[in-house]
Amino acid sequence: MGGFGPIRVVVAKPGLDGHDRGAKVVARALRDAGMEVIYTGLHQTPEQIVETAIQEDADAIGLSILSGAHMTLFARVLELLRERNATDIKVFGGGIIPDADIPELKKLGVAEIFTPGTPTQVIVDWVRANLGQEEPQPA
């Protein structure tokens, strides 16, 4: 990790939620911005998601959660990353997440939460700013 290749992001839909349109839109936007995106598909367990991220040498995991189980699912992914000594993989997410839960998720270690309606360019810019591996440009 931390090379100068493209940013690698695993986009995942943990749990029982069956709606993945938002995750696919984000995955496409990141891909169109030149990032490598590994989309895991629906109904992934936190264990499967973390395993994929480690195998793929990902820089980040983007979780899309609409099911209401975001506190549990984010906490489990972060716990598994710690167990695997892979805390350099940043975790961000989006979906139907109440504003009141966002500070708590950030305390757990979630880097950023994007709520419905966030323009994809905002997500792309955030990923670039926080995971950017490009050589710094002189001012």
Side-chain angles (χ1 to χ4, degrees), residues 81-102:
L81 288 171
R82 282 192 299 275
E83 286 175 9
R84 300 288 299 272
N85 293 319
T87 54
D88 52 338
I89 299 175
K90 283 197 166 109
V91 177
F92 67 96
I96 309 296
I97 296 172
D99 288 344
D101 289 348
I102 293 173

Side-chain angles (χ1 to χ4, degrees), residues 5 10 12 18 20 28 37 60 65-66 82 88 91 93 107 110 120 137:
V10 169
D20 66 350
R28 187 173 310 115
V37 178
I65 304 174
L66 307 174
R82 282 192 299 275
D88 52 338
V91 177
K107 260 192 252 170
V110 178
T120 53
Q137 298 301 312

Side-chain angles (χ1 to χ4, degrees), residues 41-54:
L42 292 168
H43 309 306
Q44 295 290 296
T45 66
E47 289 78 7
Q48 289 169 316
I49 293 164
V50 167
E51 186 60 36
T52 299
I54 290 169

Side-chain angles (χ1 to χ4, degrees), residues 7-11 26 29-30 33 35 59-63 74 78 87-94 102 105-106 109-115 118-134:
I7 296 169
R8 295 174 64 82
V9 181
V10 169
V11 174
V26 170
L30 295 174
M35 299 174 205
D59 299 296
I61 297 171
L63 298 178
F74 276 112
L78 291 161
T87 54
D88 52 338
I89 299 175
K90 283 197 166 109
V91 177
F92 67 96
I102 293 173
L105 288 167
K106 289 189 173 183
V110 178
E112 190 57 85
I113 295 291
F114 300 99
T115 51
T118 301
T120 53
Q121 191 59 50
V122 170
I123 300 171
V124 167
D125 291 345
W126 181 88
V127 171
R128 278 207 180 112
N130 287 275
L131 302 166
Q133 298 174 313
E134 293 80 28

